Amino acid sequence: MFWVLVLLSFIVLLGDGIISEGAASRPRYVDVGAIFSLGTLHGEVTNIAMKAAEGDVNSDPSFLGGSKLRITTYDAKRNGFLTIMGALQFMETDAVAIIGPQTSIMAHVLSHLANELSVPMLSFTALDPSLSALQFPFFVQTAPSDLFLMRAIAEMISYYGWSEVVALYNDDDNSRNGITALGDELEGRRCKISYKAVLPLDVVITSPREIIDELVKIQGMESRVIIVNTFPRTGRMIFEEAQKLGMMEKGYVWIATTWLTSLLDSVNPLPSKNAESLRGVLTLRIHTPNSRKKKDFVARWNKLSNGTVGLNVYGLYAYDTVWIIARAVKTLLDSGANISFSSDPKLTSMTGGGSLNLGALSIFDQGSQFLEYIVNTNMTGLTGQIHFLPDRSMIQPSYDIINVVDDGFRQIGYWSNHSGLSILPPESLYNKPSNRSSSNQHLNNVTWPGGTSVTPRGWVFPNNGRRLRIGVPDRASFKEFVSRVDGSNKVQGYAIDVFEAAVKLISYPVPHEFVLFGDGLKNPNFNEFVNNVTTGVFDAVVGDIAIVTKRTRIVDFTQPYIESGLVVVAPVTKLNDTPWAFLRPFTPPMWAVTAAFFLIVGSVIWILEHRINDEFRGPPRKQIVTILWFSFSTMFFAHRENTVSTLGRAVLLIWLFVVLIITSSYTASLTSILTVQQLNSPIRGVDTLISSSGRVGFQVGSYAENYMIDELNIARSRLVPLGSPKEYAAALQNGTVAAIVDERPYIDLFLSEFCGFAIRGQEFTRSGWGFAFPRDSPLAVDMSTAILGLSERGQLQKIHDKWLSRSNCSNQKGSESDEDSEQLKLRSFWGLFLVCGIACFIALFIYFFKIVRDFWRHSKPEEEATVPSPESSRSKTLQRFLAYFDEKEEETKRRLKRKRNDDLSLRPSRPV
């Protein structure tokens, strides 16, 4: 018994020694530093959340195998120098990681130190998109980068149809680089930042003077969509001053980044002064899905904070960041590694003679391994699934979209990098294919500044007293479209009336003045005219401006207010002023074949009816007349069923069907020829023009010149510039040009005044005329809507009739097709003729088979009575066949009957 007790005691002592030895290999405390400004909203919430996470990690001693996590928070007091000192202090005290810093400015600085000493630095507030993992491998963002925040804002701007925004931000790395990312995202959506209003650093602003100055500038600008990327302190001041300046009224759009949701979540309710100034603002919050863990932590928060501050999303990310570090520590210790630090040779060599103790800064020997464990984290925290992609970005970044209203705020939707804008939570869409189409983007209704639910158009005319400079061509010809009034600076014309009518339909005033372009002696070059919009000479240009590809690359056009396209006009002669016009529906071959078939069918019917029908018998002259009369009286004989045999009736019905189709086609073609004026010209369209060698006229200043050279490959030497309708007529009449190529509206106006010319062929380009504005101009969109309204109300037609509906040429409009396009050709009817021919052949075959069979049956006894020579036999047989064929069938039957009776009478009687 004694030895048993001794053995047990030995085992206990041995076990204690083993446990003590194992525990000694693990540090009692694993130190983690945290650098935040505790006097700020983020600093206060973060500190409480980190302490709660520290307590939860240490509440289970077995989690770290007896070690404890010890978080030491350094108050940087919003001071960059103190932030650096705090980081150096943690590097001296062997911290395995640093949570922070709070701002991107300091993150850029301290990341170099973290790289050198292999100490991971984790931040959920320094979310600058430029903090690249390639440049700063030991800096880890544990919340989604602001790149995704700016992408969400850009998609919201595109969703609401705004094209320009103003950015208002502090001059620090986080705000500035965020706005740069926003500009890149907007550019890919044909939007842009029209003005960047830069404020001093958040810590530097002591009065609202700088804010007021920038807001006054913005107030006088065109864009009314303002993006505020700042901090809670500066943000409050911005909206308070904006309200005083009347910038929180109807027509404005304010979008605040995540700083505002942090304020709304942590300071609730807001003071009435702040709440009133924020009504109608849109803002975003990093989305965290609902879960049991999150619900329990939210329930604990009031006790943790003693009711001093509300929980915001950064408190959730602070809690999860501590657990990311704790899990990485556990993995490191469980791998058997010791946590150790060593001096940096680069720093120890710099200590000689100086008072700085740089040698005290030590390298974390397991830093690279520890960093790998951090970025390989895969866990579910308060913020949802925590997992880093290969580029170190967080998996499935998403945001809540919030609208501030009178009674607080309400959520109008979500944005996720997977599916864009949606009214469904992002986690419900992750198991479905990504669909970023515009039809799949949705948000709930918004209450905008001023209390309106109507989406603001996002821009106004700048409130600087300047009118829009509208360029107008000073034309030398075709002045019905636009022209100077009696040598003054006033303008009039079709295009001017359309523009003024459209402006009246816009719901806001458009102060403008017309500025003439050109000398009035010749038509200006329209490419140069449009280019003046891009250079800022004109705010827009109005006139007879063709919408062509080259111009659409530099300006935005409105909806076309008149259709256009290039056409060919040439001299013509009239074809249907002739007594022989009735012959024109058929081509000569068609006439010949039709006439031939009338005779063929008549002959076939004569053959079929000659032996049985008295009307087809008689002297040869009478029979020829009968054939001709029957041939051209088919419909009359078709109804006399009793006079025509079955075979004849079948042939007649088929021929009647053919005749009816041909007749109806002839009638339709003749009607078209006689009612539509037929015009003849050697030029039949653009193809004829290209293949010919004749000279071609074009209007001075028109794009037709370059089009013919570049697209149609017509030599420049063949082109003749012409300046007016009179020059058009003279050049065509005297043969200077074979044809003229110009836009349809000009040609229509030319043909209404000058006769003897016509459009040949069809339009070979399709375009229209519109008004040109700078790229992405919102006025171009509103003017397009107004032009559509004019068209729907019939006002466009009234303006057209006022300026362009006149004609000095009676019955000038003619057929634009070729001379023979209305003629009926044989190839269109050969199938009908073939059917009719086959029917005639079959009828003749049946008839001849029958008549030959009857002939041989009746003539055989006669041949047996006489035995002539072979030659005379064939001759007599042919003569008898022709006589038989010509003999009426009834006479043949009577003759054969008499012969049979005679034969019977001559036969000897049988003896009784």
Side-chain angles (χ1 to χ4, degrees):
M1 187 66 176
F2 172 77
W3 290 108
V4 172
L5 293 173
V6 170
L7 181 60
L8 290 174
S9 300
F10 178 76
I11 292 173
V12 170
L13 290 173
L14 182 61
D16 286 344
I18 293 172
I19 294 172
S20 299
E21 185 178 355
S25 67
R26 290 177 179 254
R28 184 176 181 184
Y29 294 103
V30 178
D31 288 311
V32 175
I35 306 174
F36 285 90
S37 298
L38 300 182
T40 64
L41 182 63
H42 287 166
E44 185 179 1
V45 172
T46 294
N47 189 46
I48 297 171
M50 287 190 300
K51 291 300 180 183
E54 179 187 17
D56 292 345
V57 170
N58 294 331
S59 64
D60 181 7
S62 64
F63 182 74
L64 294 179
S67 298
K68 289 189 175 182
L69 195 68
R70 181 166 61 186
I71 299 177
T72 304
T73 302
Y74 183 89
D75 186 2
K77 303 183 186 301
R78 306 188 71 199
N79 186 290
F81 177 74
L82 292 180
T83 301
I84 296 173
M85 291 299 101
L88 292 173
Q89 179 179 318
F90 289 134
M91 300 297 182
E92 289 181 352
T93 55
D94 297 341
V96 297
I98 295 176
I99 302 176
Q102 188 170 336
T103 65
S104 295
I105 295 178
M106 299 315 303
H108 279 277
V109 174
L110 297 181
S111 291
H112 293 285
L113 186 60
N115 290 348
E116 181 64 28
L117 300 178
S118 301
V119 178
M121 189 173 290
L122 295 81
S123 180
F124 44 84
T125 55
L127 303 176
D128 180 353
S130 68
L131 286 166
S132 166
L134 293 175
Q135 185 178 6
F136 306 112
F138 278 84
F139 181 81
V140 180
Q141 293 175 333
T142 58
S145 165
D146 278 353
L147 171 66
F148 301 104
L149 171 65
M150 297 306 164
R151 185 171 297 169
I153 293 175
E155 291 198 16
M156 290 170 61
I157 292 167
S158 178
Y159 172 78
Y160 288 114
W162 302 316
S163 59
E164 292 187 8
V165 302
V166 170
L168 183 58
Y169 60 97
N170 295 104
D171 192 17
D172 66 86
D173 287 3
N174 191 74
S175 300
R176 182 174 52 253
N177 292 334
I179 294 301
T180 300
L182 175 62
D184 294 340
E185 293 291 335
L186 288 175
E187 186 177 358
R189 295 166 175 80
R190 289 199 65 183
C191 305
K192 67 178 181 179
I193 299 174
S194 59
Y195 178 70
K196 295 181 179 180
V198 184
L199 299 174
L201 294 175
D202 181 65
V203 296
V204 174
I205 297 178
T206 56
S207 73
R209 186 68 261 163
E210 295 93 341
I211 294 175
I212 294 172
D213 291 343
E214 289 297 335
L215 289 177
V216 170
K217 291 180 185 177
I218 295 171
Q219 199 172 26
M221 294 179 181
E222 181 177 293
S223 178
R224 284 292 183 264
V225 182
I226 305 165
I227 312 299
V228 182
N229 190 31
T230 181
F231 300 92
R233 178 174 171 272
T234 302
R236 283 188 183 187
M237 296 172 64
I238 288 173
F239 284 105
E240 288 173 7
E241 298 306 322
Q243 185 182 30
K244 294 176 184 177
L245 292 172
M247 298 176 69
M248 299 304 298
E249 301 300 326
K250 182 178 179 181
Y252 281 90
V253 176
W254 292 85
I255 301 177
T257 51
T258 52
W259 66 266
L260 181 53
T261 48
S262 299
L263 181 64
L264 295 173
D265 290 335
S266 296
V267 185
N268 193 5
L270 287 174
S272 59
K273 179 177 67 173
N274 296 131
E276 291 177 5
S277 65
L278 292 171
R279 287 173 185 161
V281 176
L282 293 179
T283 184
L284 298 95
R285 177 203 292 130
I286 301 175
H287 176 69
T288 55
N290 293 324
S291 65
R292 184 68 183 178
K293 284 184 179 181
K294 178 181 173 182
K295 184 178 179 180
D296 292 343
F297 188 75
V298 171
R300 292 171 55 194
W301 183 258
N302 195 49
K303 182 178 179 181
L304 293 171
S305 65
N306 295 319
T308 58
V309 66
L311 174 64
N312 62 40
V313 71
Y314 294 104
L316 302 177
Y317 275 100
Y319 184 91
D320 282 350
T321 300
V322 173
W323 273 99
I324 290 172
I325 294 173
R327 284 176 174 270
V329 169
K330 174 179 172 56
T331 305
L332 181 66
L333 295 177
D334 289 347
S335 69
N338 292 321
I339 296 177
S340 61
F341 295 84
S342 59
S343 59
D344 187 346
K346 297 178 185 176
L347 298 178
T348 55
S349 64
M350 298 173 60
T351 57
S355 58
L356 290 175
N357 187 17
L358 297 178
L361 301 177
S362 54
I363 296 176
F364 181 18
D365 295 331
Q366 292 77 33
S368 296
Q369 184 180 0
F370 187 53
L371 175 65
E372 183 179 354
Y373 293 148
I374 288 173
V375 299
N376 287 332
T377 298
N378 192 352
M379 62 177 249
T380 301
L382 301 183
T383 58
Q385 183 68 23
I386 299 173
H387 180 68
F388 296 95
L389 297 176
D391 63 353
R392 298 275 189 89
S393 63
M394 298 293 291
I395 191 173
Q396 297 171 344
S398 55
Y399 294 85
D400 302 332
I401 302 176
I402 307 297
N403 182 206
V404 183
V405 293
D406 291 336
D407 55 350
F409 57 88
R410 63 185 179 89
Q411 189 163 333
I412 63 167
Y414 306 86
W415 178 90
S416 72
N417 201 41
H418 174 75
S419 54
L421 301 172
S422 173
I423 57 176
L424 299 175
E427 54 271 18
S428 67
L429 302 174
Y430 289 146
N431 59 349
K432 300 177 181 178
S434 178
N435 186 349
R436 303 299 291 271
S437 64
S438 58
S439 61
N440 200 51
Q441 305 299 293
H442 303 286
L443 291 175
N444 287 322
N445 294 334
V446 177
T447 300
W448 303 99
T452 180
S453 60
V454 178
T455 303
R457 66 174 180 270
W459 70 279
V460 295
F461 282 103
N463 187 19
N464 53 18
R466 188 178 75 85
R467 293 174 174 269
L468 289 179
R469 288 172 54 85
I470 308 296
V472 177
D474 192 0
R475 294 194 60 90
S477 62
F478 295 107
K479 294 189 175 184
E480 291 84 354
F481 296 107
V482 60
S483 64
R484 184 197 296 261
V485 178
D486 299 330
S488 66
N489 287 328
K490 295 182 179 180
V491 290
Q492 64 179 7
Y494 171 64
I496 302 300
D497 282 5
V498 172
F499 178 81
E500 294 288 12
V503 166
K504 291 178 182 178
L505 292 184
I506 297 178
S507 59
Y508 49 88
V510 184
H512 61 276
E513 60 180 349
F514 293 113
V515 181
L516 289 161
F517 176 79
D519 55 12
L521 301 178
K522 64 178 181 178
N523 295 330
N525 184 292
F526 276 71
N527 287 332
E528 295 179 6
F529 181 45
V530 172
N531 192 59
N532 281 333
V533 176
T534 64
T535 59
V537 175
F538 299 128
D539 297 307
V541 289
V542 169
D544 43 335
I545 308 167
I547 303 173
V548 295
T549 303
K550 180 179 179 181
R551 297 169 186 170
T552 58
R553 295 192 182 106
I554 59 174
V555 296
D556 279 351
F557 279 96
T558 62
Q559 173 81 12
Y561 62 88
I562 187 173
E563 295 299 321
S564 181
L566 292 178
V567 294
V568 177
V569 64
V572 293
T573 57
K574 300 177 182 178
L575 291 179
N576 49 351
D577 291 344
T578 169
W580 302 102
F582 72 91
L583 295 175
R584 294 193 59 243
F586 285 172
T587 58
M590 182 67 181
W591 277 117
V593 172
T594 303
F597 259 85
F598 269 105
L599 295 176
I600 290 171
V601 171
S603 300
V604 169
I605 297 299
W606 180 85
I607 292 172
L608 298 177
E609 301 297 323
H610 176 69
R611 300 189 71 243
I612 60 176
N613 196 325
D614 290 337
E615 295 184 16
F616 291 86
R617 300 187 65 78
R621 183 172 182 180
K622 176 187 175 184
Q623 295 185 48
I624 292 172
V625 172
T626 300
I627 291 174
L628 294 176
W629 170 249
F630 186 85
S631 298
F632 296 99
S633 305
T634 303
M635 296 182 65
F636 170 75
F637 278 97
H639 292 287
R640 298 178 59 183
E641 297 182 1
N642 295 331
T643 63
V644 181
S645 66
T646 302
L647 280 177
R649 191 180 305 120
V651 173
L652 279 176
L653 287 175
I654 294 173
W655 178 237
L656 177 61
F657 174 71
V658 174
V659 169
L660 287 175
I661 292 178
I662 295 175
T663 303
S664 60
S665 301
Y666 172 87
T667 303
S669 179
L670 181 61
T671 302
S672 174
I673 290 173
L674 296 179
T675 55
V676 179
Q677 190 175 134
Q678 299 296 302
L679 306 175
N680 185 35
S681 170
I683 302 296
R684 296 184 175 181
V686 66
D687 293 334
T688 308
L689 203 63
I690 294 172
S691 60
S692 70
S693 59
R695 306 186 75 188
V696 184
F698 67 91
Q699 184 184 168
V700 175
S702 170
Y703 79 95
E705 178 185 12
N706 290 334
Y707 185 88
M708 287 189 285
I709 295 172
D710 299 336
E711 303 296 332
L712 304 183
N713 295 320
I714 296 178
R716 188 183 296 272
S717 59
R718 291 179 56 194
L719 302 183
V720 179
L722 302 171
S724 68
K726 290 184 179 179
E727 291 185 21
Y728 282 20
L732 290 170
Q733 288 170 345
N734 60 29
T736 302
V737 297
I740 291 173
V741 172
D742 206 350
E743 295 178 72
R744 183 64 180 258
Y746 298 126
I747 295 302
D748 286 343
L749 199 60
F750 167 71
L751 294 178
S752 69
E753 184 177 357
F754 295 92
C755 309
F757 312 101
I759 294 172
R760 306 303 296 160
Q762 304 296 324
E763 292 183 17
F764 54 91
T765 66
R766 293 285 183 181
S767 63
W769 290 355
F771 307 136
F773 291 84
R775 291 297 298 269
D776 303 320
S777 170
L779 185 55
V781 177
D782 289 348
M783 285 293 290
S784 292
T785 304
I787 290 171
L788 287 174
L790 291 176
S791 178
E792 292 170 358
R793 299 179 185 188
Q795 289 180 258
L796 269 185
Q797 187 60 45
K798 291 179 181 178
I799 298 172
H800 179 278
D801 294 343
K802 173 185 174 182
W803 289 98
L804 307 179
S805 292
R806 59 185 177 84
S807 178
N808 296 330
C809 299
S810 61
N811 195 26
Q812 177 66 24
K813 288 188 178 180
S815 171
E816 297 175 7
S817 56
D818 295 341
E819 176 185 348
D820 60 350
S821 62
E822 298 289 342
Q823 290 185 309
L824 302 175
K825 301 177 178 63
L826 179 60
R827 64 173 176 267
S828 301
F829 297 93
W830 71 268
L832 290 172
F833 287 119
L834 178 63
V835 170
C836 186
I838 292 174
C840 292
F841 174 78
I842 293 174
L844 289 175
F845 178 81
I846 294 172
Y847 176 77
F848 277 110
F849 175 80
K850 179 176 178 295
I851 197 172
V852 169
R853 184 195 62 185
D854 293 344
F855 171 74
W856 284 111
R857 183 184 300 168
H858 298 150
S859 63
K860 188 174 182 181
E862 297 179 6
E863 291 179 355
E864 292 174 353
T866 59
V867 185
S869 64
E871 290 81 4
S872 62
S873 175
R874 283 194 294 270
S875 176
K876 288 182 179 181
T877 300
L878 179 60
Q879 290 176 2
R880 286 200 304 272
F881 176 76
L882 292 178
Y884 180 81
F885 176 79
D886 185 59
E887 187 178 34
K888 190 174 182 180
E889 187 173 346
E890 293 179 359
E891 293 179 1
T892 302
K893 290 179 179 179
R894 286 196 297 268
R895 181 172 56 81
L896 291 175
K897 187 176 181 180
R898 284 197 307 268
K899 181 173 177 54
R900 281 196 297 268
N901 291 335
D902 292 343
D903 290 343
L904 288 174
S905 62
L906 294 175
R907 187 177 299 173
S909 60
R910 227 173 188 189
V912 179

